[in-house]
Amino acid sequence: MVLSTGYKKIKTAVFISGTGSNLKSLIKFSKLKKSPITIEMIVSNNPKSKGLNLGKIYKIKKKIFNFEKQAKVEKEILFELKKNNIELICLAGFMKILSKDFINNFKGCILNIHPSLLPKYKGLNTHERAIKNKDIYSGCTVHFVTSKLDSGKIINQKKIKISKKDNPKTLAKKILAEEHKLYPRAILKIFSL
Ligand code: GRF
């Protein structure tokens, strides 16, 4: 699949597992005239995701999938995405690792936001690790998704200074606020190439 721009906006699905604050910022961005995307679907592996409420508020289709049998469920998700002509997937706090097969079906069209300055701190507990290592800076990264965890091509990053007073919680809060600005910027960047 090739990402297309042109006149039509790119039909996007956002995958979440939790709060959905990045989803909210993407929805708000998608409503702007300058946005190249529309958000057509919210996908979650977790029926308790707070972010699912946004589907109701903004009248966006929500789909919850049980990942116990991942291979089977990924086929169902792909079917649903294709049925709705989804062209782009934005992972936003989605806590499942998608299979190589799934990613290949959406080659180059899956983005992720990660709360660290990749390639540093792939995986979980990024803020704890940055503070433990006495890093001076941390931040967030938007990147293309490949089958190697948190390793695809970087689109953009925002660096922030870690204060001596920061703990993982305060750092997460600071970085999250930056994530909300970074993800829309990344989308603008890839579609204005
Ligand atoms: C964000 O920090 C994101 O980078 C990480 O999980 C968090 C999700 O937050 N992968 P939210 O659900 O978007 O509020």
Side-chain angles (χ1 to χ4, degrees):
M1 197 188 296
V2 178
L3 291 173
S4 55
T5 42
Y7 286 112
K8 274 207 229 141
K9 297 212 177 197
I10 295 148
K11 290 188 192 311
T12 302
V14 182
F15 285 30
I16 61 165
S17 299
T19 314
S21 67
N22 276 292
L23 166 64
K24 191 173 180 184
S25 90
L26 287 174
I27 295 173
K28 287 193 168 165
F29 166 68
S30 74
K31 308 265 178 218
L32 304 177
K33 203 172 165 209
K34 68 174 179 183
S35 164
I37 64 164
T38 56
I39 295 176
E40 304 287 329
M41 199 189 290
I42 301 167
V43 171
S44 181
N45 64 307
N46 173 12
K48 291 188 179 142
S49 302
K50 262 198 192 163
L52 285 168
N53 296 332
L54 295 165
K56 207 169 177 191
I57 297 170
Y58 291 97
K59 298 190 174 48
I60 301 169
K61 193 180 283 184
K62 300 174 284 184
K63 289 273 168 192
I64 301 159
F65 292 95
N66 181 343
F67 267 69
E68 245 165 58
K69 290 184 181 147
Q70 184 154 345
K72 186 171 168 265
V73 90
E74 284 189 343
K75 283 202 185 101
E76 289 167 16
I77 298 174
L78 279 172
F79 177 79
E80 206 52 52
L81 296 173
K82 304 243 154 129
K83 196 172 94 187
N84 287 278
N85 299 312
I86 299 297
E87 297 170 284
L88 177 72
I89 296 173
C90 290
L91 306 182
F94 184 63
M95 300 308 281
K96 292 284 170 189
I97 297 173
L98 295 164
S99 73
K100 201 172 177 175
D101 263 7
F102 184 95
I103 293 166
N104 283 340
N105 257 284
F106 258 85
K107 229 179 188 147
C109 305
I110 310 181
L111 312 180
N112 182 40
I113 186 146
H114 184 76
S116 80
L117 293 173
L118 289 173
K120 236 178 168 181
Y121 308 132
K122 294 172 186 173
L124 298 174
N125 305 320
T126 55
H127 310 305
E128 284 85 346
R129 285 146 80 198
I131 287 176
K132 206 171 166 199
N133 285 342
K134 301 196 185 327
D135 288 356
I136 299 168
Y137 294 102
S138 188
C140 43
T141 304
V142 179
H143 64 95
F144 287 102
V145 171
T146 61
S147 53
K148 256 183 115 191
L149 183 71
D150 299 329
S151 298
K153 188 169 177 245
I154 290 172
I155 300 161
N156 59 356
Q157 290 186 308
K158 174 72 185 180
K159 187 162 140 182
I160 67 136
K161 197 146 195 233
I162 303 177
S163 121
K164 289 220 166 66
K165 289 186 210 142
D166 271 327
N167 57 49
K169 222 172 158 189
T170 59
L171 184 59
K173 200 173 164 200
K174 271 194 216 167
I175 291 178
L176 195 59
E178 294 301 333
E179 291 182 37
H180 298 156
K181 295 181 258 175
L182 191 74
Y183 219 157
R185 269 191 237 130
I187 291 168
L188 280 175
K189 186 175 171 189
I190 55 175
F191 293 112
S192 60
L193 292 179

